[in-house]
Amino acid sequence: MNKNLYPIFLIIFTAIFTVPAKAQQHDFVITNNGDTVQCKLKFAFFGGAPSYQTDTLGEFIKIKSDKIRYFRSFKDGKTRRAAKAVYINGSKKRRFIDIVQEGEIMMYKMVQTGYNYVQTTTWYAAKGTDTLTELKTSAILATTSRKSRKEFLKDILKDKPEIYDKYVADDSFSFAAIGDLIYLYNTTPPIKRSAWKLEY
């Protein structure tokens, strides 16, 4: 090797092999006892709760809400899917609902396919409880009135006046506006509009 090129080669070699490796994210579940367990998650083709496998389990076991309360999977270092077992639509049994945003205000979504394969998306929110309240839906009919859902959003935002005032001033109840408000509530401003969508 040309002696004049050796220092340059050494610098490049050092730079390549001394860059800190990005920490690998592992799928995990949280049990109803509060234990966090690293695992491998496998999802069914038609959706629903996945199955999980640990180093000590020889087979995949279906995730059920009587034993597991939360799961999160990763792909390429980013969250692929996260869900929590919650109460919804007056049910006395918990079911897994996908999480849109996590924080003091939790936001969830349910996507359903109806007649002629038309999909509807419904967002739910909860603050300090595992019982969800419908917040926004693309369906023609909602389970509660628009007025009551707007009042619910006011109620969960009101302890942060700057966010509450923005909601009142903007007077928008779109999916994007709701997502921005809850992101602002759960994080420290300022942010770019709809920046929360990059989280998942």
PDB file of all heavy atoms in Angstrom, residues 87-93 131-132:
ATOM      1  N   TYR A  87     -61.136  -1.853  27.972  1.00  0.00           N
ATOM      2  CA  TYR A  87     -62.591  -2.011  27.906  1.00  0.00           C
ATOM      3  C   TYR A  87     -63.140  -1.030  26.876  1.00  0.00           C
ATOM      4  O   TYR A  87     -62.788   0.143  26.861  1.00  0.00           O
ATOM      5  CB  TYR A  87     -63.222  -1.724  29.269  1.00  0.00           C
ATOM      6  CG  TYR A  87     -62.756  -2.653  30.364  1.00  0.00           C
ATOM      7  CD1 TYR A  87     -61.835  -2.214  31.322  1.00  0.00           C
ATOM      8  CD2 TYR A  87     -63.222  -3.960  30.450  1.00  0.00           C
ATOM      9  CE1 TYR A  87     -61.402  -3.059  32.332  1.00  0.00           C
ATOM     10  CE2 TYR A  87     -62.793  -4.813  31.455  1.00  0.00           C
ATOM     11  CZ  TYR A  87     -61.881  -4.355  32.392  1.00  0.00           C
ATOM     12  OH  TYR A  87     -61.445  -5.195  33.387  1.00  0.00           O
ATOM     13  N   ILE A  88     -64.037  -1.522  26.030  1.00  0.00           N
ATOM     14  CA  ILE A  88     -64.558  -0.682  24.955  1.00  0.00           C
ATOM     15  C   ILE A  88     -66.027  -1.005  24.709  1.00  0.00           C
ATOM     16  O   ILE A  88     -66.454  -2.162  24.838  1.00  0.00           O
ATOM     17  CB  ILE A  88     -63.721  -0.893  23.666  1.00  0.00           C
ATOM     18  CG1 ILE A  88     -64.123   0.087  22.578  1.00  0.00           C
ATOM     19  CG2 ILE A  88     -63.803  -2.321  23.175  1.00  0.00           C
ATOM     20  CD1 ILE A  88     -63.193   0.056  21.373  1.00  0.00           C
ATOM     21  N   ASN A  89     -66.786   0.039  24.394  1.00  0.00           N
ATOM     22  CA  ASN A  89     -68.208  -0.101  24.051  1.00  0.00           C
ATOM     23  C   ASN A  89     -69.010  -0.846  25.118  1.00  0.00           C
ATOM     24  O   ASN A  89     -69.878  -1.673  24.814  1.00  0.00           O
ATOM     25  CB  ASN A  89     -68.363  -0.807  22.698  1.00  0.00           C
ATOM     26  CG  ASN A  89     -67.778  -0.001  21.551  1.00  0.00           C
ATOM     27  OD1 ASN A  89     -67.694   1.226  21.627  1.00  0.00           O
ATOM     28  ND2 ASN A  89     -67.368  -0.679  20.493  1.00  0.00           N
ATOM     29  N   GLY A  90     -68.709  -0.572  26.382  1.00  0.00           N
ATOM     30  CA  GLY A  90     -69.470  -1.157  27.476  1.00  0.00           C
ATOM     31  C   GLY A  90     -69.154  -2.604  27.784  1.00  0.00           C
ATOM     32  O   GLY A  90     -69.824  -3.229  28.621  1.00  0.00           O
ATOM     33  N   SER A  91     -68.137  -3.164  27.135  1.00  0.00           N
ATOM     34  CA  SER A  91     -67.786  -4.562  27.362  1.00  0.00           C
ATOM     35  C   SER A  91     -67.220  -4.769  28.764  1.00  0.00           C
ATOM     36  O   SER A  91     -66.509  -3.915  29.293  1.00  0.00           O
ATOM     37  CB  SER A  91     -66.761  -5.019  26.320  1.00  0.00           C
ATOM     38  OG  SER A  91     -66.299  -6.315  26.614  1.00  0.00           O
ATOM     39  N   LYS A  92     -67.530  -5.915  29.367  1.00  0.00           N
ATOM     40  CA  LYS A  92     -66.997  -6.254  30.685  1.00  0.00           C
ATOM     41  C   LYS A  92     -65.704  -7.062  30.573  1.00  0.00           C
ATOM     42  O   LYS A  92     -65.079  -7.380  31.579  1.00  0.00           O
ATOM     43  CB  LYS A  92     -68.040  -7.044  31.477  1.00  0.00           C
ATOM     44  CG  LYS A  92     -69.280  -6.226  31.824  1.00  0.00           C
ATOM     45  CD  LYS A  92     -70.251  -7.034  32.661  1.00  0.00           C
ATOM     46  CE  LYS A  92     -71.480  -6.194  33.022  1.00  0.00           C
ATOM     47  NZ  LYS A  92     -72.449  -6.960  33.852  1.00  0.00           N
ATOM     48  N   LYS A  93     -65.327  -7.380  29.339  1.00  0.00           N
ATOM     49  CA  LYS A  93     -64.101  -8.133  29.099  1.00  0.00           C
ATOM     50  C   LYS A  93     -63.136  -7.276  28.290  1.00  0.00           C
ATOM     51  O   LYS A  93     -63.528  -6.601  27.337  1.00  0.00           O
ATOM     52  CB  LYS A  93     -64.409  -9.426  28.334  1.00  0.00           C
ATOM     53  CG  LYS A  93     -63.195 -10.308  28.120  1.00  0.00           C
ATOM     54  CD  LYS A  93     -63.570 -11.599  27.390  1.00  0.00           C
ATOM     55  CE  LYS A  93     -62.338 -12.470  27.167  1.00  0.00           C
ATOM     56  NZ  LYS A  93     -62.674 -13.734  26.464  1.00  0.00           N
ATOM     57  N   THR A 131     -60.817   2.249  30.365  1.00  0.00           N
ATOM     58  CA  THR A 131     -62.121   2.267  29.704  1.00  0.00           C
ATOM     59  C   THR A 131     -62.110   3.363  28.643  1.00  0.00           C
ATOM     60  O   THR A 131     -61.909   4.536  28.960  1.00  0.00           O
ATOM     61  CB  THR A 131     -63.254   2.524  30.714  1.00  0.00           C
ATOM     62  OG1 THR A 131     -63.252   1.475  31.693  1.00  0.00           O
ATOM     63  CG2 THR A 131     -64.603   2.546  30.015  1.00  0.00           C
ATOM     64  N   LEU A 132     -62.314   2.986  27.388  1.00  0.00           N
ATOM     65  CA  LEU A 132     -62.176   3.924  26.280  1.00  0.00           C
ATOM     66  C   LEU A 132     -63.471   4.663  25.975  1.00  0.00           C
ATOM     67  O   LEU A 132     -64.564   4.141  26.168  1.00  0.00           O
ATOM     68  CB  LEU A 132     -61.720   3.188  25.016  1.00  0.00           C
ATOM     69  CG  LEU A 132     -60.481   2.294  25.121  1.00  0.00           C
ATOM     70  CD1 LEU A 132     -60.016   1.890  23.730  1.00  0.00           C
ATOM     71  CD2 LEU A 132     -59.366   2.976  25.883  1.00  0.00           C
TER      72      LEU A 132
END
